[in-house]
Amino acid sequence: MKNMNKLLKQAQKMQSQVLKAQEELQRKEYEGASGGGMVKVVVNGKNELVSVKINKEVVDPDDVEMLEDLIVAAHSNALEQVKGESDSVFGSIQSGLGLPGM
């Protein structure tokens, strides 16, 4: 029973840390860029697109496909940053508690 209480307390602590980390990550913003910084996007920790900035030099009416690709690449770059930080934060929470099998 003592082990069960200890496990329950660890689970409650982990739940509290996870909720706090989720709230913090959702408030943050991450910038992704492509084309040497010619296209920049900002996403938040909820993976919502917040803004898009496009340098006018990259806008070519005869090559819209390239601009579309740059936007997608910048967005992917920003989402990778969100995922990387999320994995890092939640990995440290998990390892800090020493719970087996998680």
Side-chain angles (χ1 to χ4, degrees):
M1 189 69 163
K2 186 176 181 180
N3 285 340
M4 185 62 129
N5 286 337
K6 182 179 178 183
L7 185 61
L8 182 59
K9 285 183 182 184
Q10 286 179 320
Q12 289 171 336
K13 180 180 178 182
M14 183 171 147
Q15 182 180 18
S16 174
Q17 288 177 326
V18 165
L19 291 173
K20 182 179 176 184
Q22 283 176 329
E23 290 171 3
E24 289 175 10
L25 287 171
Q26 289 178 354
R27 284 193 299 267
K28 288 186 173 185
E29 292 187 345
Y30 304 84
E31 183 180 271
S34 65
M38 299 294 271
V39 174
K40 295 179 182 178
V41 302
V42 175
V43 298
N44 63 23
K46 297 178 193 177
N47 294 333
E48 298 170 333
L49 184 62
V50 176
S51 69
V52 177
K53 300 285 184 203
I54 301 171
N55 187 306
K56 65 182 178 180
E57 294 172 23
V58 77
V59 179
D60 180 355
D62 295 325
D63 194 2
V64 174
E65 188 174 304
M66 180 197 61
L67 180 56
E68 293 169 343
D69 290 344
L70 289 172
I71 294 168
V72 169
H75 186 250
S76 294
N77 179 255
L79 292 178
E80 286 173 16
Q81 292 178 46
V82 174
K83 183 179 180 335
E85 184 163 351
S86 178
D87 288 350
S88 175
V89 167
F90 293 115
S92 68
I93 289 172
Q94 177 184 324
S95 66
L97 291 174
L99 293 175
M102 296 191 91

